[in-house]
Amino acid sequence: MIKQKLHQETARLLIRPYETSDYENWLTQYENRLPAQHKYDEGKLDMSPCTKEWFEEMIHKQQQMALNDEAYVFGVFHKRDGTHIGVMDMSTLMRDDFQWARIGYTIHNQFWEQGYGKESVHGTLELAFQQLHFHRIEAHINLDNRASINLAKSAGMKFECIRKAFTYENNQWVDNFVYYIQKP
C-alpha cells in the first residue's frame, strides 16, 4: 500500500526503515548493550547468529511486510553521528473504516534516561498519522512494565482499559493495559 520512502526527523533523531548499510552500526549497538536493567529489558543478547546475510534477509522480510501494509519497522538513528539508538515498529491491526495500528518500541539500554524514547515515540506517531494515515494507535503493555507505561504516557497516550488474557507469554495468557492516541 505505502510506496514512498518513509522517514521522520525529530530534533535529534532520524526514524527510517533499515538499509543493508546499517548492519555494522546496528550490530555494534546491540553488542554494546548493558546487562538487563529489569525483567522487560533483554539486556545483552547473543548476536552470533546475526550475520550480514541474516540482517539482509531481515530487511527483506520487513520490506515485504511494509509492502503488504502488515507492519513497519524503523531504526532510530542519532542525526549527529548516525548511531543506532533503537527500533520502533507499527503493526496494522485494521484498515477500512478503522485505520488502526499498534506501536512497539525498544531503545538500547545504554541510551536510557536521555529522552530518546519519548522523542522516538513522538516521531513514530507523527510518521504513522501523517505518512501511513492511521487514525488510532495503541500500545499493549504488561501490567507491571512501569517503564513502558511511563513512556506511553509521556508520549501523550491515554489509558483505555485492561484486556484480559490478551497475549500469550511464557506459556500463559497475560493481561495487558491498552494505551491509545488518535490522530490530532
Side-chain angles (χ1 to χ4, degrees):
M1 177 184 161
I2 307 300
K3 302 274 193 251
Q4 81 261 24
K5 184 159 177 131
L6 299 170
H7 72 280
Q8 183 68 38
E9 289 190 32
T10 67
R12 300 179 293 169
L13 305 173
L14 176 60
I15 301 162
R16 61 165 175 78
Y18 288 106
E19 300 169 357
T20 56
S21 60
D22 294 324
Y23 176 70
E24 293 297 330
N25 184 6
W26 173 89
L27 182 63
T28 297
Q29 296 315 318
Y30 271 98
E31 290 175 338
N32 287 341
R33 282 180 153 193
L34 304 172
Q37 306 297 302
H38 57 70
K39 83 182 220 182
Y40 294 108
D41 176 18
E42 294 177 309
K44 287 197 166 286
L45 302 169
D46 175 13
M47 299 303 289
S48 61
C50 303
T51 64
K52 186 164 180 67
E53 293 75 23
W54 176 91
F55 186 76
E56 290 170 356
E57 181 61 26
M58 178 189 77
I59 290 172
H60 177 73
K61 288 177 184 175
Q62 291 171 357
Q63 290 170 340
Q64 282 304 122
M65 288 187 301
L67 282 173
N68 295 333
D69 193 37
E70 297 167 344
Y72 302 86
V73 180
F74 304 103
V76 179
F77 301 90
H78 203 290
K79 284 179 11 182
R80 181 186 67 236
D81 60 10
T83 299
H84 183 250
I85 303 290
V87 60
M88 302 282 127
D89 67 86
M90 191 69 51
S91 300
T92 302
L93 298 176
M94 189 172 290
R95 285 292 189 175
D96 301 321
D97 294 337
F98 296 92
Q99 303 302 323
W100 176 32
R102 182 210 51 85
I103 189 171
Y105 36 81
T106 301
I107 300 297
H108 297 307
N109 63 12
Q110 68 267 34
F111 299 112
W112 288 1
E113 303 298 326
Q114 299 177 53
Y116 292 130
K118 181 177 179 179
E119 190 172 337
S120 297
V121 172
H122 273 289
T124 303
L125 289 171
E126 187 172 326
L127 184 154
F129 290 135
Q130 301 303 319
Q131 296 178 53
L132 296 173
H133 308 290
F134 287 112
H135 170 72
R136 177 191 171 91
I137 299 170
E138 294 181 354
H140 304 149
I141 305 171
N142 290 77
L143 304 185
D144 61 344
N145 190 341
R146 295 302 317 160
S148 187
I149 293 165
N150 290 340
L151 179 52
K153 287 179 179 179
S154 74
M157 300 183 88
K158 306 278 188 241
F159 173 77
E160 182 172 63
C161 65
I162 296 175
R163 289 203 180 124
K164 297 292 191 180
F166 188 59
T167 60
Y168 195 71
E169 297 176 12
N170 302 318
N171 298 315
Q172 64 181 346
W173 289 98
V174 298
D175 300 346
N176 272 186
F177 285 132
V178 175
Y179 280 79
Y180 77 99
I181 191 166
Q182 291 176 251
K183 187 173 185 174

